[in-house]
């Protein structure tokens, strides 16, 4: 199953049929370990290929810490987050951005 099929099935299971989908990159400052996005009620699906072990991503609905097998996890590494994102890196400059598929439900 590819990422888009996974996301479409997840949204369909929740009854979300009308939405806008795009990509979203959260740029991370190279001199900081903690980063925050603006708050929103969008859904974000993590699609970054590489993240250093120990990276912690928090949102209003989810928490995820990157383990040692993240880069080889396939579709299992696609994680869902809603609202404001908080990212805590194990070291400064460990990664320059996080990549997401962003879903904006149309009401």
């Amino acid at each position: 199953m590819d990422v888009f099929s996974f996301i479409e099935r997840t949204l369909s299971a929740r009854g979300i049929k009308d939405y806008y989908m795009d990509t979203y990159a959260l740029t991370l400052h190279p001199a900081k370990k903690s980063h925050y996005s603006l708050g929103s009620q969008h859904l974000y699906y993590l699609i970054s290929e590489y993240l250093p072990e120990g990276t912690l991503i928090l949102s209003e609905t989810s928490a995820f810490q990157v383990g040692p097998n993240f880069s080889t996890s396939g579709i299992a590494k696609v994680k869902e987050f809603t609202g404001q994102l908080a990212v805590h890196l194990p070291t400064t400059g460990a990664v320059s951005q996080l990549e997401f598929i962003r879903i904006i439900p149309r009401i």
Side-chain angles (χ1 to χ4, degrees):
M1 177 184 326
D2 70 7
V3 171
F4 295 107
S5 296
F6 172 79
I7 293 170
E8 287 171 349
R9 285 184 182 195
T10 301
L11 295 173
S12 178
R14 293 187 183 154
I16 300 172
K17 296 179 179 22
D18 190 17
Y19 54 87
Y20 173 77
M21 179 188 297
D22 68 1
T23 57
Y24 173 76
L26 178 60
T27 302
L28 308 178
H29 191 286
K32 295 182 178 180
K33 289 172 85 173
S34 294
H35 309 271
Y36 303 91
S37 72
L38 297 176
S40 70
Q41 290 306 309
H42 305 157
L43 299 167
Y44 298 95
Y45 290 88
L46 180 66
I47 59 168
S48 292
E49 288 295 318
Y50 167 79
L51 290 175
E53 186 174 345
T55 298
L56 179 62
I57 305 171
L58 305 167
S59 75
E60 296 170 17
T61 59
S62 301
F64 173 67
Q65 187 162 25
V66 175
N69 299 320
F70 177 78
S71 62
T72 60
S73 297
I75 197 74
K77 69 180 164 189
V78 177
K79 304 295 181 194
E80 179 186 280
F81 302 91
T82 303
Q84 184 177 22
L85 301 169
V87 178
H88 304 285
L89 300 173
T91 59
T92 58
V95 65
S96 62
Q97 71 180 18
L98 271 64
E99 297 167 340
F100 298 89
I101 297 290
R102 176 173 57 184
I103 304 295
I104 304 170
R106 293 184 177 125
I107 300 173

